[in-house]
Amino acid sequence: MGTGTGGGRLTDTIEREQTRKPKQEMQTTNEPAEATAAEQATLRKELLRSMLLQRRFEERCAEAYALGKIGGFCHLYIGQEAISAGTMSVLRPDDYVVTSYRDHGQAIARGVTPRSVMSELFGRVDGCSGGKGGSMHLFDKKLGFLGGHGIVGGHIPLAGGVGWAIKYRKGDQVCVCFFGEAAVNIGAFHEALNIASLWSLPCVFVIENNRYGMGTAISRSTANEDVKARAAAYRMLGESVDAQDVFAVRDAMGRAVALARKDSKPTLIEMRTYRFMGHSMSDAASGTYRSREELEENMKRDPIVILHDIMRANNELSDGEFSKLDEEQKAICQDAWDFADASAEPPLENLFTNVLVESTS
Amino acid sequence: MAVITYREALTQALREELTRDENVFLMGEEVAQYNGAYKVSKGLLDEFGPMRIVDTPITELGFAGVGVGSAMVGLRPIIEFMTWNFALLALDQVVNAAAKMLYMSGGQFNMPMVFRGPNGSALQLSAQHSQAWESWLAHIPGLKVVTPGTPADAKGLLKSAIRDDNPVVFLEGEMLYNTKGEVSDDADLLVPIGKADIKREGSDCTIVTHGKMVLIALQVAEALAKENIAVEIVDLRTIRPMDVEAIATSVQKTNRVVVLEEGWEMCGVGAQVADFIQRECFDDLDAPVIRVHQADTPMPYAKNLERAAKPDVPKAIAAIKKVMYLA
Ligand SMILES: Cc1ncc(C[n+]2csc(CCOP(=O)(O)OP(=O)(O)O)c2C)c(N)n1
């Protein structure tokens, strides 16, 4: 695929892992006891599908960016997909998600259609934000997907506001907020966490710790690298999770979401992950602020490969089934591309719409 | 004289002033190890070391305030914002601290500091990353606001800004970094803050502009020369203090004015320029002043909408024909 994360590598890695690794023990999870083995197998397959779709979709994004079909800033999520897949799997349709500019994977995992995401990236009228937002600003109101936001940390208080509204209306929804580890140094993070804890708001704050904020390693930006420890300052639960393991994500998010839903209490969760690509399409994956060796070492812990191996060990997934699943996702992405390509540019008069709503007062 | 890019011109200015005065330091996100998000500080970490080229966490409010505090006790910080869109988080320090410190301390604490970084839109960066802030910042007494449009002005003005004993807001253009021009390598050559520059002489119509729009104005003048319309370009270079004499002199000569700016119309720089002209040059005008600016909307992502939103050569040409009653 020419982008450095193409299907080749993923398949290669999977094959390599299979030939030399002893079969892993079946992953234990906090699934309700009544979930049958068959149900669990279905769930695993669904998580695998979600991660694969995100991966294949973003490989096509990289390709489209190189062709100039996508412009501006484009931040890929490749390597971090277990966080979105695991999180969305414990949310209800009426819950809410707020996120940063690294939002393609989360939007797709939440159910925003690949067609509307790709159309948005292509700047077309069928995009989920009408072509006005682009890569960093995916929105889908009916799915409670409250946006991709471009200012680091700026959206964290919004999650508090959504939590406040839920409490105000005595609802039992939850608001999940995603941001990178570098955002924990921004004032808005601290202000939002204090408010959320003080007022007991149903929020889950998810730090996606991929260890770099652009070119700055966490050790160079953050006095206490144990970022979940910041929860203690606000008398909030804090937890760290190996986020390359989608079940660890699902477990932790399941507990945090339950706490928010039942007791209206916020949690701060550090998802320990790694981004396999550069910060954005204009940043090299390695060679400047991190070494090729470090990147390759971390790419061995590919969340898709990890889940794949577990399923193989459980005899839940044959080679043929995996390729079929993979081919299906690729076809969905091709369809999204074709759809976006055929979608029209927004009509020029749309430049002036949506600045304000027509008010009746 | 050498032909270098706007980016290299800025790097030269930084290097020369860091060498000249050991109280000068550069602080901001990715300025050191990464060589700057837009590579303006390339090589400076190696030359000047980590106490003078300082990487910060993503904490605009915090490090802008650190700059203000260090300036209160005699250092001369250059605070780099990765872009001015993120400087919004630090406006409290720029506006409430840096701009007012001298005044509210009754003259005890001046602020010898520079806040700099790219301003305005690039390509398809959408609403939160495509904003020109000069009219906001120029609104504030206690600040100087500088907007160089060429490599020579970038270098000379940055050097002046660093040597200035007041807080200077220095607005660069992301789309300008790769543009080239002749720049003096004389380390003592300064471009004074507060002085406009006539970028092209002409007798038929004046364009008053600044920053990135200078390039558009030059293209407009070139195109109209073919139609025998001689356009004069007044490049303000500094928005505050504004060189109103230069504007008046040009208006007296051409009697017609178009004000071209990157930002929005409402309370924009052009409003200030037009206000001055109608007050001080009323009798010199043969037509109302016309403004060219960004559409009154947030910046859209889609290529075609973005193009429609931005001020460009055809829009500026149409405005000139209008003030000349040719259209
Ligand atoms: C307030 C602000 N400052 C700077 C930037 C430029 N910027 C965009 S992303 C980024 C790094 C953020 O890193 P992190 O929060 O760890 O998230 P990641 O990109 O790794 O997902 C920076 C500096 C910005 N968008 N907003």
Side-chain angles (χ1 to χ4, degrees):
Chain A
M1 215 152 266
T3 62
T5 66
R9 177 170 300 167
L10 179 58
T11 331
D12 291 346
T13 324
I14 290 170
E15 278 155 11
R16 232 186 306 120
E17 297 285 310
Q18 275 166 6
T19 49
R20 64 175 165 73
K21 252 181 48 180
K23 298 294 179 203
Q24 245 172 294
E25 284 302 297
M26 144 92 198
Q27 195 81 10
T28 53
T29 76
N30 271 13
E31 290 308 317
E34 61 271 22
T36 64
E39 280 164 354
Q40 290 220 13
T42 309
L43 171 66
R44 278 190 281 272
K45 191 156 177 192
E46 170 49 27
L47 292 169
L48 183 66
R49 187 203 60 78
S50 169
M51 290 195 288
L52 261 178
L53 176 58
Q54 295 176 54
R55 177 72 54 93
R56 296 311 185 199
F57 184 87
E58 286 208 309
E59 287 166 358
R60 298 309 301 273
C61 293
E63 196 184 328
Y65 196 89
L67 292 173
K69 287 179 180 291
I70 299 175
F73 289 146
C74 180
H75 309 83
L76 300 185
Y77 196 59
I78 290 176
Q80 306 182 203
E81 297 96 336
I83 301 167
S84 50
T87 298
M88 303 311 169
S89 78
V90 301
L91 293 186
R92 286 192 332 216
D94 60 343
D95 288 331
Y96 298 97
V97 176
V98 190
T99 189
S100 74
Y101 44 84
R102 201 176 295 287
D103 55 355
H104 312 162
Q106 292 155 351
I108 285 175
R110 180 61 178 164
V112 186
T113 66
R115 281 182 168 194
S116 72
V117 176
M118 197 63 94
S119 298
E120 188 60 36
L121 300 182
F122 282 22
R124 301 301 166 86
V125 70
D126 294 303
C128 56
S129 306
K132 284 179 167 169
S135 165
M136 298 189 284
H137 308 302
L138 304 174
F139 288 81
D140 197 327
K141 190 171 183 177
K142 51 189 190 310
L143 293 168
F145 196 79
L146 307 185
H149 299 267
I151 305 300
V152 168
H155 63 293
I156 306 175
L158 310 190
V162 176
W164 169 255
I166 293 168
K167 192 164 172 165
Y168 193 89
R169 298 198 186 109
K170 303 189 170 55
D172 71 341
Q173 303 100 308
V174 169
C175 183
V176 175
C177 182
F178 297 100
F179 46 91
E181 82 291 340
V184 306
N185 298 317
I186 281 271
F189 165 85
H190 296 271
E191 298 180 27
L193 260 69
N194 182 52
I195 284 177
S197 182
L198 183 70
W199 296 344
S200 206
L201 303 178
C203 302
V204 186
F205 298 99
V206 179
I207 306 168
E208 301 197 73
N209 182 0
N210 59 20
R211 298 182 8 209
Y212 294 89
M214 254 178 99
T216 304
I218 183 170
S219 58
R220 298 202 303 120
S221 69
T222 306
N224 182 356
E225 288 182 49
D226 179 9
V227 287
K228 68 141 189 338
R230 293 177 185 228
Y234 303 106
R235 300 186 108 200
M236 188 185 289
L237 277 178
E239 191 175 342
S240 266
V241 175
D242 169 9
Q244 301 311 85
D245 173 354
V246 67
F247 281 97
V249 171
R250 196 178 137 84
D251 279 359
M253 287 306 296
R255 276 181 268 115
V257 166
L259 187 70
R261 206 180 303 289
K262 296 201 185 81
D263 301 338
S264 194
K265 287 222 167 82
T267 304
L268 178 68
I269 300 187
E270 176 199 17
M271 298 291 183
R272 273 183 275 113
T273 185
Y274 199 83
R275 81 172 138 68
F276 292 179
M277 306 289 282
H279 166 73
S280 70
M281 289 306 298
S282 52
D283 177 46
S286 69
T288 46
Y289 52 87
R290 59 185 195 185
S291 67
R292 174 107 220 137
E293 295 70 44
E294 179 191 309
L295 174 64
E296 281 174 0
E297 196 50 39
N298 280 280
M299 285 179 73
K300 287 186 190 152
R301 300 207 67 239
D302 184 323
I304 298 179
V305 175
I306 290 173
L307 178 59
H308 168 273
D309 289 353
I310 290 169
M311 295 175 71
R312 293 300 298 255
N314 286 344
N315 288 323
E316 292 169 8
L317 188 75
S318 68
D319 258 345
E321 281 168 328
F322 179 79
S323 343
K324 180 161 171 281
L325 192 67
D326 197 18
E327 288 312 317
E328 283 164 7
Q329 308 321 308
K330 287 181 182 165
I332 290 169
C333 298
Q334 183 62 48
D335 169 74
W337 178 301
D338 294 340
F339 179 85
D341 233 2
S343 173
E345 288 187 327
L348 282 184
E349 61 265 25
N350 284 15
L351 174 59
F352 295 99
T353 59
N354 311 132
V355 179
L356 294 170
V357 293
E358 294 293 328
S359 178
T360 47
S361 64
Chain B
M1 282 285 199
V3 173
I4 59 173
T5 62
Y6 187 97
R7 172 188 289 109
E8 288 160 344
L10 292 168
T11 313
Q12 274 187 11
L14 290 172
R15 178 178 291 114
E16 288 170 10
E17 296 308 304
L18 282 155
T19 305
R20 180 176 174 271
D21 183 347
E22 63 181 22
N23 284 320
V24 174
F25 66 94
L26 173 70
M27 180 177 270
E29 291 159 19
E30 308 286 1
V31 298
Q33 222 180 73
Y34 200 73
N35 283 315
Y38 296 97
K39 307 297 171 211
V40 170
S41 51
K42 191 165 177 201
L44 298 181
L45 172 64
D46 291 343
E47 255 173 89
F48 297 97
M51 288 303 287
R52 302 195 61 202
I53 310 296
V54 189
D55 275 332
T56 65
I58 306 176
T59 47
E60 284 81 3
L61 178 66
F63 67 75
V66 167
V68 171
S70 72
M72 288 183 82
V73 292
L75 295 185
R76 304 184 74 90
I78 304 166
I79 298 299
E80 174 172 318
F81 295 118
M82 191 176 283
T83 82
W84 274 91
N85 301 290
F86 315 141
L88 242 61
L89 279 76
L91 273 195
D92 179 53
Q93 293 296 345
V94 178
V95 174
N96 271 328
K100 298 180 172 57
M101 201 67 77
L102 182 66
Y103 195 81
M104 67 190 182
S105 68
Q108 296 180 74
F109 290 98
N110 66 310
M111 287 282 125
M113 66 187 301
V114 179
F115 298 101
R116 53 160 285 271
N119 173 60
S121 60
L123 287 173
Q124 284 198 278
L125 298 187
S126 198
Q128 292 184 325
H129 284 76
S130 315
Q131 306 172 91
W133 297 108
E134 49 269 42
S135 68
W136 282 53
L137 294 154
H139 194 59
I140 310 297
L143 295 178
K144 296 185 177 182
V145 180
V146 176
T147 58
T150 65
D153 288 342
K155 179 171 177 189
L157 282 165
L158 182 54
K159 288 167 69 73
S160 292
I162 295 169
R163 294 187 195 186
D164 202 297
D165 287 330
N166 293 293
V168 179
V169 165
F170 194 88
L171 303 168
E172 300 159 15
E174 187 180 332
M175 301 300 285
L176 290 175
Y177 285 136
N178 286 332
T179 59
K180 289 191 171 164
E182 289 216 330
V183 177
S184 163
D185 36 28
D186 177 355
D188 289 318
L189 200 79
L190 305 180
V191 172
I193 291 176
K195 274 217 80 60
D197 184 42
I198 306 302
K199 284 286 185 297
R200 180 175 173 128
E201 295 205 26
S203 52
D204 294 331
C205 178
T206 298
I207 300 183
V208 179
T209 191
H210 64 272
K212 186 163 80 186
M213 291 297 119
V214 171
L215 296 189
I216 303 272
L218 287 167
Q219 289 171 45
V220 167
E222 199 61 41
L224 287 176
K226 297 196 183 99
E227 299 180 35
N228 289 322
I229 299 171
V231 173
E232 175 146 303
I233 300 173
V234 178
D235 174 4
L236 292 172
R237 298 199 292 196
T238 302
I239 307 301
R240 178 192 268 272
M242 193 177 279
D243 185 354
V244 289
E245 284 90 59
I247 299 173
T249 306
S250 185
V251 177
Q252 281 152 16
K253 180 169 157 192
T254 64
N255 314 113
R256 297 165 201 274
V257 186
V258 167
V259 192
L260 168 63
E261 69 185 300
E262 189 181 358
W264 291 296
E265 176 180 25
M266 187 78 182
C267 304
V269 172
Q272 185 65 33
V273 172
D275 165 68
F276 166 78
I277 293 172
Q278 63 82 28
R279 253 183 305 115
E280 302 295 333
C281 313
F282 192 77
D283 292 334
D284 298 311
L285 284 178
D286 284 348
V289 175
I290 290 189
R291 297 174 55 197
V292 181
H293 43 75
Q294 191 195 319
D296 191 21
T297 74
M299 189 65 85
Y301 166 75
K303 225 181 244 172
N304 65 325
L305 297 188
E306 187 190 40
R307 208 178 300 124
K310 288 176 169 177
D312 60 10
V313 173
K315 286 172 195 158
I317 287 180
I320 287 179
K321 293 201 167 161
K322 197 161 171 199
V323 293
M324 296 191 67
Y325 300 112
L326 296 171

